[in-house]
Amino acid sequence: MSVVALRNRLTQEDIRRLVKGETEEVRATAAQKICRRMDAANLTDAERDAAGGILSLIARDAAELVRRALAVTLKNSPNLPREVALKLALDVEAVALPVLENSPVLDDEDLLRVLEHAGSEKRCAVAGRDRVAPIVVHELLDSRDEKAVGIAAANDGAQFDDAAYQRAFADFCESPQVMDAFVARSQLPLDVTEKLISHISDTALQRLVKRHALPPQLAVEIAEGARERATLDLVDQAGLAHDPMHFVQQLRLNARLTPSLILRALLRGHVAFVEHAFAELAGVSHAKAWLLVHDAGPLGLRAVYDRTGMPSRIYPAVRAAFDVLHSMEVPHDEPGRARFRRALAERAITRFQGIPEEDLDYILSRFDEDVEPLAKAG
């Protein structure tokens, strides 16, 4: 730096304690204070260079406590010099883990260098980072570290390419820790979802069918008891399906596209599925079904409904649900969708009291599932 400029920011006492503190606790406290001020200050380039020199000095302190003070204080800082971050990442675990887990200044090359000689705890720290590039994921797979690979499998930020998924199944298909962990991802390729079915535990399977769209035929097979230990709610799958038309066609081929399923899906807010179901049963295009279903007048919905062959006794419930739906805006966040589902069902039930009892019981039982996202939001 300008040494004078740095001292003006930090005070003489801070520097003295850092360099000459008699105990590691005194030096660690001074290091933490200096790191906080450096990170908060709007330093010039010259001051930043000088600050880097002081941080390097801290990173070379013989006391682990002092080096850990630096690592913990600047673990999230973009101002930590990369060379200092790498030195800390190569240090003992107590010093390295905060930086490995969080530091944005470490690049893929740095992480690969660390992983060359890392133990399991360091590998786990890398696996849980906000972003783990495919090349780093493959390095973790090379390690065959079950715990670290499981953390990466559950981490949306860990970028598994097709080859990485294939390697994970080849090397860890007998590991419940790894296979079950994939279910925690918010998105999974459909072929991966299908492969997971035969490798995961009962509990993980229940989570999988609730969180991820399954290939249509597989969803039907599970629902029909091809795997008795699983229970699959096709209403949930209707809402998750990436290709509603294909899903609807599979359901019809398997005699599962029932009026009850369609009504339940509608009362859960799965409108796209219902549109495709009406189109399939009525023998019209989805575009035409959409226009009729959402016709502002009273005749469009009735016209397409009559062509589906569904029983006339549940038409009033369908009409009531669409009337309510058209008066509401569908939110995008999960707590908002949970509130939307409850409000849609409650208002439709209030408007039309003749919903079949078994369908009404089903909808009311599903209200319990909306408690968790609402509780998290509250």
Side-chain angles (χ1 to χ4, degrees), residues 242-296:
H242 299 299
D243 185 352
M245 182 175 71
H246 187 202
F247 192 80
V248 161
Q249 290 170 345
Q250 290 290 334
L251 289 176
R252 191 178 190 188
L253 284 172
N254 288 274
R256 298 301 298 272
L257 190 60
T258 62
S260 180
L261 175 67
I262 295 171
L263 176 59
R264 293 176 181 189
L266 177 58
L267 291 172
R268 291 287 289 172
H270 300 318
V271 184
F273 169 80
V274 175
E275 294 165 358
H276 282 281
F278 280 7
E280 176 71 16
L281 293 174
V284 299
S285 68
H286 173 253
K288 184 172 183 179
W290 186 92
L291 287 172
L292 292 170
V293 162
H294 299 289
D295 184 358

Side-chain angles (χ1 to χ4, degrees), residues 125-259:
V126 171
R129 287 174 62 88
D130 287 343
R131 176 189 172 276
V132 187
I135 190 172
V136 180
V137 170
H138 279 277
E139 185 69 21
L140 291 169
L141 289 167
D142 286 342
S143 74
R144 302 187 66 84
D145 184 328
E146 188 176 26
K147 183 178 180 183
V149 173
I151 291 172
N155 178 12
D156 277 337
Q159 299 170 10
F160 279 72
D161 56 21
D162 290 342
Y165 278 121
Q166 291 174 11
R167 290 187 61 191
F169 277 101
D171 296 341
F172 296 96
C173 63
E174 300 301 324
S175 167
Q177 182 174 358
V178 175
M179 293 293 100
D180 289 7
F182 276 117
V183 177
R185 298 179 78 88
S186 61
Q187 296 290 333
L188 282 172
L190 283 179
D191 62 324
V192 173
T193 304
E194 187 170 18
K195 287 179 182 177
L196 280 175
I197 292 292
S198 60
H199 293 294
I200 57 180
S201 66
D202 293 354
T203 301
L205 179 61
Q206 298 299 329
R207 296 200 309 271
L208 180 73
V209 298
K210 288 182 180 296
R211 288 173 58 90
H212 298 283
L214 303 182
Q217 183 60 37
L218 180 62
V220 173
E221 288 174 0
I222 295 176
E224 290 180 338
R227 180 174 174 181
E228 293 182 359
R229 65 187 181 135
T231 57
L232 174 62
D233 191 332
L234 287 175
V235 173
D236 272 346
Q237 287 297 305
L240 290 169
H242 299 299
D243 185 352
M245 182 175 71
H246 187 202
F247 192 80
V248 161
Q249 290 170 345
Q250 290 290 334
L251 289 176
R252 191 178 190 188
L253 284 172
N254 288 274
R256 298 301 298 272
L257 190 60
T258 62

